[in-house]
Amino acid sequence: MAGERTRERGELEGTVMRILWEASEPLSARDIQAVFTGHVPAYTTLMTALERLQKKGDVVRSGDSPRKVRFRAARSGDEHVGRSMMTALDGAGDRQAALLQFAGNLAEEDLDLLRGAITGKTSRKRR
Amino acid sequence: MIATGSFLAAAVLILLFSPLMLTAGRWQVRRPRTALTLWFCAFFAGIGFAVTSAAIALLGAVGGVNPASSGEALVLTLVGWLSLGVLAAVIALVSASAEPLADSWREAVGRFAPVAVSREHSHGVTLVWFDSEEPVACAVPSGEPEIFLSTALKELLSDPQLRAVIEHERAHLRQHHGWAVRIAEINALCLPKRFPAGRALKRATLLLIELIADDAAARRAGAVHLANALATMGHNTADPGLELRADRLTLRRWKKPRSQRAAALARA
């Protein structure tokens, strides 16, 4: 749970979506990374976020070879926000104070902490 | 002057070392309520020490304390007025950051209200159903607490699983988690980014309130139903956090939910 390099998962995904909505053409992960100001996410963290957005159907991936892989938003920003309440919530980073959502509030480091606690306890039980 | 310095040093020590101590190990996953209590004890203790330090310095500056020498009098005056300046800056920062959060709350609630398809009252809380293709549940803490639930959630989950999700959200409202998150948000906005304590408190709060609400819902509605709801939603939304929370519930022994125990007593 410690660390300065933290960024809530919903916040990162929201920022990525905003970058893709504003782009006129599909972007590579490196292009997206270059747009970030201030805290720049690690490449692997960014790829994880893009894969998750792809699974949700929010991002479309194109290109076969790793160097040519590009990402674009599946829908425009307006369509996206209108599509579901969840997406509308993801679009703003500071609404957690207002709405206590059942899902989507945990950062990558928290997931690692949970994984560690679960596997640690499971392995102790097996011994 | 020694007292001012001591209280200030205690506040700085808490600011620097409490995140390190409270995030050591993984015990907080097993004891989320204890962990959150310790986080907020450290937070309020830090605030208390800082305010006490400033108050003593101010007292010295306005003549409430007799300085031993003219040099000490000068230092006390400078520290006193400096403390007053810092206090004013913090109050201004808190006011400035609290207002956008309140706006954000109004905007978020405003987005939900027009799409509500039905409302029902249940144990002091209004359940608001809204039309959406995605399974969503969230609690809105306010004067009239509401839990917003999407129609997709009803289709995805069984009735006992749905009850477990509602109990999770109800736990957020009952235990005033909204306030904990707001305090953590404002703290993160006020502290410079070089201090990990600001973001660490916010992140710890967001994680721990979920685990606390999970535990409360598991006790009231049944751990199996909540774990199944988490796993189903995790599978549906590709959110690994939900499946991990489901796994966490399976690692602990749970008593039967209160409703089942009451039914068993009635049968006996």
Side-chain angles (χ1 to χ4, degrees), chain A residues 1-2 4 6 8-9 81 84-85 94-95 98-102 104-105 109-111 117-118 125, chain B residues 28 104-105 107-108 111 130 134 137-141 168-169 193-194 199 203 207 210 239 241 244-245:
Chain A
M1 273 199 328
E4 211 172 351
T6 58
E8 277 71 25
R9 192 155 56 81
V81 170
S84 73
M85 299 311 298
D94 62 354
R95 287 196 191 130
L99 306 167
L100 299 159
Q101 293 180 60
F102 187 71
N105 283 337
E109 288 82 355
D110 295 332
L111 302 183
I118 291 162
K125 272 186 175 178
Chain B
Q28 58 272 50
S104 164
W105 180 83
E107 189 188 344
R111 279 174 184 270
F130 66 93
E134 288 186 48
C138 73
V140 181
H168 171 102
E169 294 304 326
K193 286 194 173 168
R194 71 183 62 174
R199 290 188 68 85
R203 268 196 43 226
L207 170 67
E210 292 308 322
D239 183 344
L244 286 168
R245 278 163 54 194

mmCIF file of all heavy atoms in Angstrom, chain A residues 1-2 4 6 8-9 81 84-85 94-95 98-102 104-105 109-111 117-118 125, chain B residues 28 104-105 107-108 111 130 134 137-141 168-169 193-194 199 203 207 210 239 241 244-245:
data_model
loop_
_atom_site.group_PDB
_atom_site.id
_atom_site.type_symbol
_atom_site.label_atom_id
_atom_site.label_comp_id
_atom_site.label_asym_id
_atom_site.label_seq_id
_atom_site.Cartn_x
_atom_site.Cartn_y
_atom_site.Cartn_z
ATOM 1 N N MET A 1 0.806 -1.198 0.000
ATOM 2 C CA MET A 1 0.000 0.000 0.000
ATOM 3 C C MET A 1 0.849 1.261 0.000
ATOM 4 O O MET A 1 0.348 2.330 -0.251
ATOM 5 C CB MET A 1 -0.893 0.009 1.240
ATOM 6 C CG MET A 1 -2.153 -0.711 0.972
ATOM 7 S SD MET A 1 -3.527 -0.403 2.026
ATOM 8 C CE MET A 1 -2.868 -0.065 3.585
ATOM 9 N N ALA A 2 2.117 1.128 0.287
ATOM 10 C CA ALA A 2 2.931 2.321 0.336
ATOM 11 C C ALA A 2 3.331 2.728 -1.059
ATOM 12 O O ALA A 2 3.184 2.008 -2.019
ATOM 13 C CB ALA A 2 4.156 2.056 1.168
ATOM 14 N N GLU A 4 4.766 6.373 -3.638
ATOM 15 C CA GLU A 4 4.336 7.655 -4.164
ATOM 16 C C GLU A 4 3.818 7.492 -5.580
ATOM 17 O O GLU A 4 3.106 8.329 -6.097
ATOM 18 C CB GLU A 4 5.523 8.605 -4.150
ATOM 19 C CG GLU A 4 5.136 10.036 -3.957
ATOM 20 C CD GLU A 4 6.352 10.888 -3.761
ATOM 21 O OE1 GLU A 4 7.457 10.344 -3.617
ATOM 22 O OE2 GLU A 4 6.201 12.100 -3.775
ATOM 23 N N THR A 6 1.610 6.035 -6.889
ATOM 24 C CA THR A 6 0.272 5.486 -6.962
ATOM 25 C C THR A 6 -0.644 6.328 -7.825
ATOM 26 O O THR A 6 -0.511 7.516 -7.923
ATOM 27 C CB THR A 6 -0.344 5.407 -5.572
ATOM 28 O OG1 THR A 6 -0.331 6.709 -5.047
ATOM 29 C CG2 THR A 6 0.429 4.479 -4.685
ATOM 30 N N GLU A 8 -4.947 5.872 -8.806
ATOM 31 C CA GLU A 8 -6.081 4.982 -8.723
ATOM 32 C C GLU A 8 -6.376 4.431 -10.126
ATOM 33 O O GLU A 8 -6.243 5.136 -11.106
ATOM 34 C CB GLU A 8 -7.293 5.726 -8.171
ATOM 35 C CG GLU A 8 -7.308 5.819 -6.672
ATOM 36 C CD GLU A 8 -6.260 6.754 -6.127
ATOM 37 O OE1 GLU A 8 -5.854 7.667 -6.864
ATOM 38 O OE2 GLU A 8 -5.825 6.556 -4.984
ATOM 39 N N ARG A 9 -6.800 3.166 -10.165
ATOM 40 C CA ARG A 9 -6.973 2.504 -11.448
ATOM 41 C C ARG A 9 -8.010 3.229 -12.305
ATOM 42 O O ARG A 9 -7.800 3.478 -13.491
ATOM 43 C CB ARG A 9 -7.391 1.054 -11.212
ATOM 44 C CG ARG A 9 -7.331 0.207 -12.432
ATOM 45 C CD ARG A 9 -7.155 -1.230 -12.031
ATOM 46 N NE ARG A 9 -8.191 -1.662 -11.130
ATOM 47 C CZ ARG A 9 -9.390 -2.029 -11.504
ATOM 48 N NH1 ARG A 9 -9.706 -2.001 -12.776
ATOM 49 N NH2 ARG A 9 -10.266 -2.423 -10.633
ATOM 50 N N VAL A 81 -20.009 8.539 -22.518
ATOM 51 C CA VAL A 81 -20.614 8.996 -21.259
ATOM 52 C C VAL A 81 -22.096 8.679 -21.233
ATOM 53 O O VAL A 81 -22.640 8.240 -20.227
ATOM 54 C CB VAL A 81 -20.361 10.507 -21.062
ATOM 55 C CG1 VAL A 81 -21.183 11.055 -19.913
ATOM 56 C CG2 VAL A 81 -18.892 10.762 -20.814
ATOM 57 N N SER A 84 -23.320 4.621 -20.344
ATOM 58 C CA SER A 84 -23.557 4.002 -19.047
ATOM 59 C C SER A 84 -23.156 4.919 -17.899
ATOM 60 O O SER A 84 -22.301 5.778 -18.047
ATOM 61 C CB SER A 84 -22.762 2.705 -18.935
ATOM 62 O OG SER A 84 -21.397 3.034 -18.779
ATOM 63 N N MET A 85 -23.755 4.703 -16.761
ATOM 64 C CA MET A 85 -23.433 5.515 -15.599
ATOM 65 C C MET A 85 -22.024 5.222 -15.103
ATOM 66 O O MET A 85 -21.314 6.080 -14.621
ATOM 67 C CB MET A 85 -24.424 5.233 -14.469
ATOM 68 C CG MET A 85 -25.837 5.548 -14.807
ATOM 69 S SD MET A 85 -26.026 7.179 -15.527
ATOM 70 C CE MET A 85 -25.442 8.185 -14.189
ATOM 71 N N ASP A 94 -12.243 12.527 -9.083
ATOM 72 C CA ASP A 94 -12.436 12.892 -7.686
ATOM 73 C C ASP A 94 -13.852 12.659 -7.189
ATOM 74 O O ASP A 94 -14.284 13.249 -6.222
ATOM 75 C CB ASP A 94 -12.035 14.347 -7.460
ATOM 76 C CG ASP A 94 -12.889 15.295 -8.283
ATOM 77 O OD1 ASP A 94 -13.680 14.802 -9.090
ATOM 78 O OD2 ASP A 94 -12.742 16.507 -8.097
ATOM 79 N N ARG A 95 -14.597 11.791 -7.869
ATOM 80 C CA ARG A 95 -15.968 11.581 -7.413
ATOM 81 C C ARG A 95 -16.076 10.482 -6.370
ATOM 82 O O ARG A 95 -17.152 10.183 -5.882
ATOM 83 C CB ARG A 95 -16.870 11.245 -8.585
ATOM 84 C CG ARG A 95 -17.112 12.467 -9.418
ATOM 85 C CD ARG A 95 -18.282 12.292 -10.337
ATOM 86 N NE ARG A 95 -18.262 13.392 -11.258
ATOM 87 C CZ ARG A 95 -18.357 13.260 -12.550
ATOM 88 N NH1 ARG A 95 -18.478 12.089 -13.088
ATOM 89 N NH2 ARG A 95 -18.318 14.307 -13.324
ATOM 90 N N ALA A 98 -17.859 11.244 -3.268
ATOM 91 C CA ALA A 98 -19.307 11.341 -3.261
ATOM 92 C C ALA A 98 -19.980 9.985 -3.333
ATOM 93 O O ALA A 98 -20.954 9.729 -2.640
ATOM 94 C CB ALA A 98 -19.760 12.186 -4.444
ATOM 95 N N LEU A 99 -19.466 9.118 -4.175
ATOM 96 C CA LEU A 99 -20.151 7.862 -4.437
ATOM 97 C C LEU A 99 -19.272 6.684 -4.033
ATOM 98 O O LEU A 99 -18.151 6.558 -4.499
ATOM 99 C CB LEU A 99 -20.494 7.763 -5.925
ATOM 100 C CG LEU A 99 -21.289 8.943 -6.467
ATOM 101 C CD1 LEU A 99 -21.297 8.925 -7.969
ATOM 102 C CD2 LEU A 99 -22.689 8.932 -5.919
ATOM 103 N N LEU A 100 -19.803 5.838 -3.190
ATOM 104 C CA LEU A 100 -19.024 4.679 -2.732
ATOM 105 C C LEU A 100 -19.405 3.501 -3.610
ATOM 106 O O LEU A 100 -20.409 2.836 -3.382
ATOM 107 C CB LEU A 100 -19.331 4.429 -1.254
ATOM 108 C CG LEU A 100 -18.945 5.623 -0.373
ATOM 109 C CD1 LEU A 100 -19.691 5.598 0.940
ATOM 110 C CD2 LEU A 100 -17.453 5.654 -0.135
ATOM 111 N N GLN A 101 -18.613 3.264 -4.627
ATOM 112 C CA GLN A 101 -18.959 2.245 -5.607
ATOM 113 C C GLN A 101 -18.564 0.859 -5.129
ATOM 114 O O GLN A 101 -17.582 0.700 -4.427
ATOM 115 C CB GLN A 101 -18.237 2.521 -6.921
ATOM 116 C CG GLN A 101 -18.704 3.767 -7.616
ATOM 117 C CD GLN A 101 -17.931 3.968 -8.901
ATOM 118 O OE1 GLN A 101 -17.959 3.132 -9.775
ATOM 119 N NE2 GLN A 101 -17.236 5.072 -8.983
ATOM 120 N N PHE A 102 -19.353 -0.119 -5.581
ATOM 121 C CA PHE A 102 -19.084 -1.506 -5.194
ATOM 122 C C PHE A 102 -17.800 -2.006 -5.854
ATOM 123 O O PHE A 102 -17.097 -2.832 -5.296
ATOM 124 C CB PHE A 102 -20.266 -2.384 -5.630
ATOM 125 C CG PHE A 102 -20.176 -3.793 -5.134
ATOM 126 C CD1 PHE A 102 -20.350 -4.085 -3.797
ATOM 127 C CD2 PHE A 102 -19.906 -4.839 -6.011
ATOM 128 C CE1 PHE A 102 -20.273 -5.386 -3.337
ATOM 129 C CE2 PHE A 102 -19.827 -6.137 -5.563
ATOM 130 C CZ PHE A 102 -20.016 -6.415 -4.215
ATOM 131 N N GLY A 104 -14.237 -1.185 -8.611
ATOM 132 C CA GLY A 104 -13.410 -0.257 -9.373
ATOM 133 C C GLY A 104 -12.666 0.796 -8.582
ATOM 134 O O GLY A 104 -12.199 1.760 -9.164
ATOM 135 N N ASN A 105 -12.534 0.616 -7.255
ATOM 136 C CA ASN A 105 -11.872 1.653 -6.474
ATOM 137 C C ASN A 105 -10.432 1.315 -6.092
ATOM 138 O O ASN A 105 -9.790 2.098 -5.411
ATOM 139 C CB ASN A 105 -12.652 1.918 -5.176
ATOM 140 C CG ASN A 105 -13.876 2.755 -5.438
ATOM 141 O OD1 ASN A 105 -13.933 3.479 -6.423
ATOM 142 N ND2 ASN A 105 -14.859 2.645 -4.579
ATOM 143 N N GLU A 109 -1.430 -1.396 -6.774
ATOM 144 C CA GLU A 109 -0.666 -1.813 -5.599
ATOM 145 C C GLU A 109 -1.567 -2.498 -4.575
ATOM 146 O O GLU A 109 -1.135 -3.401 -3.869
ATOM 147 C CB GLU A 109 0.038 -0.610 -4.959
ATOM 148 C CG GLU A 109 1.203 -0.082 -5.761
ATOM 149 C CD GLU A 109 0.770 0.853 -6.879
ATOM 150 O OE1 GLU A 109 -0.449 1.016 -7.085
ATOM 151 O OE2 GLU A 109 1.643 1.406 -7.558
ATOM 152 N N ASP A 110 -2.816 -2.058 -4.495
ATOM 153 C CA ASP A 110 -3.751 -2.693 -3.559
ATOM 154 C C ASP A 110 -4.071 -4.116 -4.021
ATOM 155 O O ASP A 110 -4.223 -5.020 -3.204
ATOM 156 C CB ASP A 110 -5.050 -1.881 -3.473
ATOM 157 C CG ASP A 110 -4.806 -0.520 -2.882
ATOM 158 O OD1 ASP A 110 -3.855 -0.383 -2.094
ATOM 159 O OD2 ASP A 110 -5.543 0.418 -3.219
ATOM 160 N N LEU A 111 -4.185 -4.275 -5.338
ATOM 161 C CA LEU A 111 -4.444 -5.612 -5.874
ATOM 162 C C LEU A 111 -3.275 -6.532 -5.531
ATOM 163 O O LEU A 111 -3.452 -7.682 -5.148
ATOM 164 C CB LEU A 111 -4.652 -5.565 -7.394
ATOM 165 C CG LEU A 111 -5.796 -4.671 -7.886
ATOM 166 C CD1 LEU A 111 -5.923 -4.775 -9.401
ATOM 167 C CD2 LEU A 111 -7.112 -5.052 -7.232
ATOM 168 N N ALA A 117 -1.547 -11.262 0.283
ATOM 169 C CA ALA A 117 -2.182 -11.740 1.514
ATOM 170 C C ALA A 117 -2.885 -13.068 1.279
ATOM 171 O O ALA A 117 -2.841 -13.971 2.118
ATOM 172 C CB ALA A 117 -3.175 -10.696 2.008
ATOM 173 N N ILE A 118 -3.527 -13.204 0.105
ATOM 174 C CA ILE A 118 -4.278 -14.430 -0.189
ATOM 175 C C ILE A 118 -3.330 -15.592 -0.436
ATOM 176 O O ILE A 118 -3.467 -16.668 0.151
ATOM 177 C CB ILE A 118 -5.208 -14.214 -1.405
ATOM 178 C CG1 ILE A 118 -6.329 -13.256 -1.002
ATOM 179 C CG2 ILE A 118 -5.792 -15.523 -1.893
ATOM 180 C CD1 ILE A 118 -7.050 -12.619 -2.166
ATOM 181 N N LYS A 125 -1.554 -22.498 4.806
ATOM 182 C CA LYS A 125 -2.553 -23.543 5.096
ATOM 183 C C LYS A 125 -2.115 -24.891 4.555
ATOM 184 O O LYS A 125 -2.374 -25.933 5.133
ATOM 185 C CB LYS A 125 -3.893 -23.156 4.461
ATOM 186 C CG LYS A 125 -4.768 -22.297 5.358
ATOM 187 C CD LYS A 125 -6.102 -22.110 4.706
ATOM 188 C CE LYS A 125 -7.053 -21.359 5.639
ATOM 189 N NZ LYS A 125 -8.336 -21.128 5.005
ATOM 190 N N GLN B 28 -3.188 -5.647 7.400
ATOM 191 C CA GLN B 28 -4.364 -4.787 7.231
ATOM 192 C C GLN B 28 -5.445 -5.443 6.381
ATOM 193 O O GLN B 28 -6.613 -5.087 6.487
ATOM 194 C CB GLN B 28 -3.978 -3.406 6.675
ATOM 195 C CG GLN B 28 -3.263 -3.378 5.359
ATOM 196 C CD GLN B 28 -1.762 -3.487 5.494
ATOM 197 O OE1 GLN B 28 -1.263 -4.364 6.177
ATOM 198 N NE2 GLN B 28 -1.038 -2.617 4.837
ATOM 199 N N SER B 104 -18.443 18.194 -7.261
ATOM 200 C CA SER B 104 -18.310 16.885 -7.880
ATOM 201 C C SER B 104 -19.429 15.959 -7.416
ATOM 202 O O SER B 104 -20.004 15.204 -8.188
ATOM 203 C CB SER B 104 -16.947 16.318 -7.498
ATOM 204 O OG SER B 104 -16.893 14.969 -7.735
ATOM 205 N N TRP B 105 -19.759 16.046 -6.121
ATOM 206 C CA TRP B 105 -20.834 15.230 -5.550
ATOM 207 C C TRP B 105 -22.170 15.574 -6.208
ATOM 208 O O TRP B 105 -22.905 14.712 -6.648
ATOM 209 C CB TRP B 105 -20.900 15.492 -4.042
ATOM 210 C CG TRP B 105 -21.948 14.719 -3.352
ATOM 211 C CD1 TRP B 105 -21.874 13.438 -2.917
ATOM 212 C CD2 TRP B 105 -23.271 15.168 -3.039
ATOM 213 N NE1 TRP B 105 -23.062 13.062 -2.338
ATOM 214 C CE2 TRP B 105 -23.936 14.098 -2.406
ATOM 215 C CE3 TRP B 105 -23.958 16.352 -3.230
ATOM 216 C CZ2 TRP B 105 -25.246 14.196 -1.957
ATOM 217 C CZ3 TRP B 105 -25.273 16.443 -2.781
ATOM 218 C CH2 TRP B 105 -25.889 15.373 -2.156
ATOM 219 N N GLU B 107 -22.676 17.001 -9.063
ATOM 220 C CA GLU B 107 -22.675 16.622 -10.477
ATOM 221 C C GLU B 107 -22.933 15.122 -10.629
ATOM 222 O O GLU B 107 -23.722 14.687 -11.471
ATOM 223 C CB GLU B 107 -21.326 16.979 -11.103
ATOM 224 C CG GLU B 107 -21.302 16.828 -12.604
ATOM 225 C CD GLU B 107 -19.897 16.992 -13.179
ATOM 226 O OE1 GLU B 107 -19.022 17.512 -12.462
ATOM 227 O OE2 GLU B 107 -19.702 16.568 -14.319
ATOM 228 N N ALA B 108 -22.250 14.335 -9.778
ATOM 229 C CA ALA B 108 -22.395 12.880 -9.867
ATOM 230 C C ALA B 108 -23.832 12.452 -9.571
ATOM 231 O O ALA B 108 -24.412 11.629 -10.271
ATOM 232 C CB ALA B 108 -21.426 12.203 -8.905
ATOM 233 N N ARG B 111 -26.187 13.263 -12.365
ATOM 234 C CA ARG B 111 -26.131 12.360 -13.519
ATOM 235 C C ARG B 111 -27.008 11.132 -13.290
ATOM 236 O O ARG B 111 -27.528 10.542 -14.223
ATOM 237 C CB ARG B 111 -24.688 11.899 -13.744
ATOM 238 C CG ARG B 111 -23.843 12.897 -14.485
ATOM 239 C CD ARG B 111 -22.416 12.415 -14.530
ATOM 240 N NE ARG B 111 -21.559 13.397 -15.162
ATOM 241 C CZ ARG B 111 -21.303 13.429 -16.467
ATOM 242 N NH1 ARG B 111 -21.862 12.549 -17.259
ATOM 243 N NH2 ARG B 111 -20.517 14.340 -16.965
ATOM 244 N N PHE B 130 -31.762 2.132 -11.575
ATOM 245 C CA PHE B 130 -31.660 2.900 -12.821
ATOM 246 C C PHE B 130 -31.290 1.964 -13.964
ATOM 247 O O PHE B 130 -30.724 0.890 -13.755
ATOM 248 C CB PHE B 130 -30.648 4.047 -12.688
ATOM 249 C CG PHE B 130 -29.217 3.605 -12.495
ATOM 250 C CD1 PHE B 130 -28.371 3.447 -13.590
ATOM 251 C CD2 PHE B 130 -28.722 3.360 -11.240
ATOM 252 C CE1 PHE B 130 -27.060 3.053 -13.425
ATOM 253 C CE2 PHE B 130 -27.407 2.959 -11.053
ATOM 254 C CZ PHE B 130 -26.572 2.811 -12.150
ATOM 255 N N GLU B 134 -24.697 -2.022 -17.611
ATOM 256 C CA GLU B 134 -23.568 -2.487 -16.795
ATOM 257 C C GLU B 134 -23.992 -2.698 -15.354
ATOM 258 O O GLU B 134 -24.810 -1.942 -14.827
ATOM 259 C CB GLU B 134 -22.443 -1.456 -16.857
ATOM 260 C CG GLU B 134 -21.761 -1.454 -18.201
ATOM 261 C CD GLU B 134 -20.564 -0.526 -18.204
ATOM 262 O OE1 GLU B 134 -19.762 -0.597 -17.271
ATOM 263 O OE2 GLU B 134 -20.477 0.263 -19.146
ATOM 264 N N ALA B 137 -23.383 -0.771 -8.596
ATOM 265 C CA ALA B 137 -24.010 -0.501 -7.296
ATOM 266 C C ALA B 137 -23.168 0.558 -6.617
ATOM 267 O O ALA B 137 -21.948 0.444 -6.594
ATOM 268 C CB ALA B 137 -24.051 -1.767 -6.456
ATOM 269 N N CYS B 138 -23.797 1.582 -6.096
ATOM 270 C CA CYS B 138 -23.021 2.545 -5.323
ATOM 271 C C CYS B 138 -23.908 3.258 -4.321
ATOM 272 O O CYS B 138 -25.113 3.415 -4.531
ATOM 273 C CB CYS B 138 -22.281 3.517 -6.218
ATOM 274 S SG CYS B 138 -23.284 4.731 -6.997
ATOM 275 N N ALA B 139 -23.274 3.616 -3.210
ATOM 276 C CA ALA B 139 -23.991 4.302 -2.135
ATOM 277 C C ALA B 139 -23.736 5.788 -2.258
ATOM 278 O O ALA B 139 -22.620 6.203 -2.563
ATOM 279 C CB ALA B 139 -23.503 3.786 -0.793
ATOM 280 N N VAL B 140 -24.769 6.576 -2.028
ATOM 281 C CA VAL B 140 -24.620 8.035 -2.060
ATOM 282 C C VAL B 140 -24.922 8.557 -0.655
ATOM 283 O O VAL B 140 -26.082 8.629 -0.250
ATOM 284 C CB VAL B 140 -25.583 8.668 -3.076
ATOM 285 C CG1 VAL B 140 -25.399 10.177 -3.114
ATOM 286 C CG2 VAL B 140 -25.352 8.091 -4.455
ATOM 287 N N PRO B 141 -23.863 8.882 0.096
ATOM 288 C CA PRO B 141 -24.102 9.391 1.452
ATOM 289 C C PRO B 141 -24.606 10.825 1.403
ATOM 290 O O PRO B 141 -23.995 11.674 0.791
ATOM 291 C CB PRO B 141 -22.709 9.323 2.108
ATOM 292 C CG PRO B 141 -21.735 9.251 0.992
ATOM 293 C CD PRO B 141 -22.444 8.848 -0.255
ATOM 294 N N HIS B 168 -23.448 -4.576 1.507
ATOM 295 C CA HIS B 168 -22.124 -3.959 1.381
ATOM 296 C C HIS B 168 -22.278 -2.433 1.298
ATOM 297 O O HIS B 168 -21.613 -1.690 2.024
ATOM 298 C CB HIS B 168 -21.421 -4.507 0.136
ATOM 299 C CG HIS B 168 -20.136 -3.804 -0.215
ATOM 300 N ND1 HIS B 168 -18.897 -4.341 0.063
ATOM 301 C CD2 HIS B 168 -19.902 -2.602 -0.795
ATOM 302 C CE1 HIS B 168 -17.968 -3.486 -0.336
ATOM 303 N NE2 HIS B 168 -18.549 -2.427 -0.872
ATOM 304 N N GLU B 169 -23.163 -1.992 0.433
ATOM 305 C CA GLU B 169 -23.361 -0.546 0.254
ATOM 306 C C GLU B 169 -23.974 0.074 1.508
ATOM 307 O O GLU B 169 -23.635 1.191 1.902
ATOM 308 C CB GLU B 169 -24.250 -0.274 -0.966
ATOM 309 C CG GLU B 169 -23.635 -0.675 -2.296
ATOM 310 C CD GLU B 169 -22.284 -0.024 -2.550
ATOM 311 O OE1 GLU B 169 -22.069 1.118 -2.135
ATOM 312 O OE2 GLU B 169 -21.417 -0.696 -3.145
ATOM 313 N N LYS B 193 2.979 16.765 -2.732
ATOM 314 C CA LYS B 193 3.072 15.393 -3.261
ATOM 315 C C LYS B 193 4.320 14.661 -2.801
ATOM 316 O O LYS B 193 4.370 13.430 -2.843
ATOM 317 C CB LYS B 193 2.994 15.422 -4.780
ATOM 318 C CG LYS B 193 1.593 15.697 -5.247
ATOM 319 C CD LYS B 193 1.391 15.413 -6.703
ATOM 320 C CE LYS B 193 -0.083 15.556 -7.040
ATOM 321 N NZ LYS B 193 -0.332 15.565 -8.461
ATOM 322 N N ARG B 194 5.338 15.420 -2.362
ATOM 323 C CA ARG B 194 6.573 14.742 -1.936
ATOM 324 C C ARG B 194 6.362 13.953 -0.642
ATOM 325 O O ARG B 194 7.134 13.085 -0.310
ATOM 326 C CB ARG B 194 7.712 15.726 -1.792
ATOM 327 C CG ARG B 194 7.594 16.656 -0.609
ATOM 328 C CD ARG B 194 8.711 17.650 -0.584
ATOM 329 N NE ARG B 194 8.682 18.501 -1.760
ATOM 330 C CZ ARG B 194 9.472 19.538 -1.948
ATOM 331 N NH1 ARG B 194 10.374 19.831 -1.056
ATOM 332 N NH2 ARG B 194 9.378 20.287 -3.020
ATOM 333 N N ARG B 199 -1.289 10.741 -0.088
ATOM 334 C CA ARG B 199 -1.846 9.733 -1.007
ATOM 335 C C ARG B 199 -1.997 8.384 -0.314
ATOM 336 O O ARG B 199 -2.907 7.617 -0.624
ATOM 337 C CB ARG B 199 -0.968 9.604 -2.252
ATOM 338 C CG ARG B 199 -1.044 10.827 -3.154
ATOM 339 C CD ARG B 199 -0.324 10.593 -4.453
ATOM 340 N NE ARG B 199 -0.977 9.600 -5.292
ATOM 341 C CZ ARG B 199 -1.970 9.882 -6.129
ATOM 342 N NH1 ARG B 199 -2.421 11.096 -6.223
ATOM 343 N NH2 ARG B 199 -2.501 8.950 -6.872
ATOM 344 N N ARG B 203 -5.359 6.177 -0.358
ATOM 345 C CA ARG B 203 -5.407 4.825 -0.932
ATOM 346 C C ARG B 203 -5.806 3.796 0.111
ATOM 347 O O ARG B 203 -6.602 2.899 -0.146
ATOM 348 C CB ARG B 203 -4.052 4.465 -1.538
ATOM 349 C CG ARG B 203 -3.994 4.818 -2.997
ATOM 350 C CD ARG B 203 -2.834 4.124 -3.664
ATOM 351 N NE ARG B 203 -2.704 2.754 -3.263
ATOM 352 C CZ ARG B 203 -1.562 2.177 -2.919
ATOM 353 N NH1 ARG B 203 -0.466 2.864 -2.910
ATOM 354 N NH2 ARG B 203 -1.520 0.915 -2.596
ATOM 355 N N LEU B 207 -9.168 1.331 0.009
ATOM 356 C CA LEU B 207 -9.090 -0.141 0.093
ATOM 357 C C LEU B 207 -9.800 -0.644 1.351
ATOM 358 O O LEU B 207 -10.635 -1.549 1.282
ATOM 359 C CB LEU B 207 -7.616 -0.581 0.112
ATOM 360 C CG LEU B 207 -7.384 -2.058 0.446
ATOM 361 C CD1 LEU B 207 -7.910 -2.969 -0.657
ATOM 362 C CD2 LEU B 207 -5.913 -2.357 0.698
ATOM 363 N N GLU B 210 -13.599 -0.754 1.598
ATOM 364 C CA GLU B 210 -14.203 -1.845 0.811
ATOM 365 C C GLU B 210 -14.139 -3.156 1.588
ATOM 366 O O GLU B 210 -15.107 -3.922 1.626
ATOM 367 C CB GLU B 210 -13.495 -2.005 -0.544
ATOM 368 C CG GLU B 210 -13.703 -0.847 -1.507
ATOM 369 C CD GLU B 210 -15.159 -0.490 -1.710
ATOM 370 O OE1 GLU B 210 -16.001 -1.391 -1.753
ATOM 371 O OE2 GLU B 210 -15.456 0.712 -1.804
ATOM 372 N N ASP B 239 -12.832 -6.960 -13.723
ATOM 373 C CA ASP B 239 -12.186 -6.229 -12.630
ATOM 374 C C ASP B 239 -11.530 -7.244 -11.699
ATOM 375 O O ASP B 239 -12.225 -7.945 -10.947
ATOM 376 C CB ASP B 239 -13.247 -5.409 -11.876
ATOM 377 C CG ASP B 239 -12.632 -4.574 -10.765
ATOM 378 O OD1 ASP B 239 -11.483 -4.843 -10.376
ATOM 379 O OD2 ASP B 239 -13.311 -3.652 -10.282
ATOM 380 N N GLY B 241 -9.957 -6.867 -9.030
ATOM 381 C CA GLY B 241 -10.127 -6.533 -7.615
ATOM 382 C C GLY B 241 -11.311 -7.264 -6.998
ATOM 383 O O GLY B 241 -11.272 -7.680 -5.841
ATOM 384 N N LEU B 244 -10.414 -10.904 -6.316
ATOM 385 C CA LEU B 244 -9.500 -10.982 -5.163
ATOM 386 C C LEU B 244 -10.259 -10.788 -3.856
ATOM 387 O O LEU B 244 -9.975 -11.462 -2.856
ATOM 388 C CB LEU B 244 -8.394 -9.928 -5.293
ATOM 389 C CG LEU B 244 -7.329 -10.241 -6.343
ATOM 390 C CD1 LEU B 244 -6.455 -9.018 -6.620
ATOM 391 C CD2 LEU B 244 -6.452 -11.402 -5.894
ATOM 392 N N ARG B 245 -11.221 -9.878 -3.871
ATOM 393 C CA ARG B 245 -12.028 -9.689 -2.658
ATOM 394 C C ARG B 245 -12.856 -10.941 -2.376
ATOM 395 O O ARG B 245 -13.074 -11.301 -1.210
ATOM 396 C CB ARG B 245 -12.929 -8.464 -2.832
ATOM 397 C CG ARG B 245 -12.203 -7.158 -2.535
ATOM 398 C CD ARG B 245 -12.929 -5.950 -3.075
ATOM 399 N NE ARG B 245 -14.307 -5.849 -2.646
ATOM 400 C CZ ARG B 245 -15.206 -5.026 -3.198
ATOM 401 N NH1 ARG B 245 -14.856 -4.221 -4.183
ATOM 402 N NH2 ARG B 245 -16.438 -4.992 -2.746
#
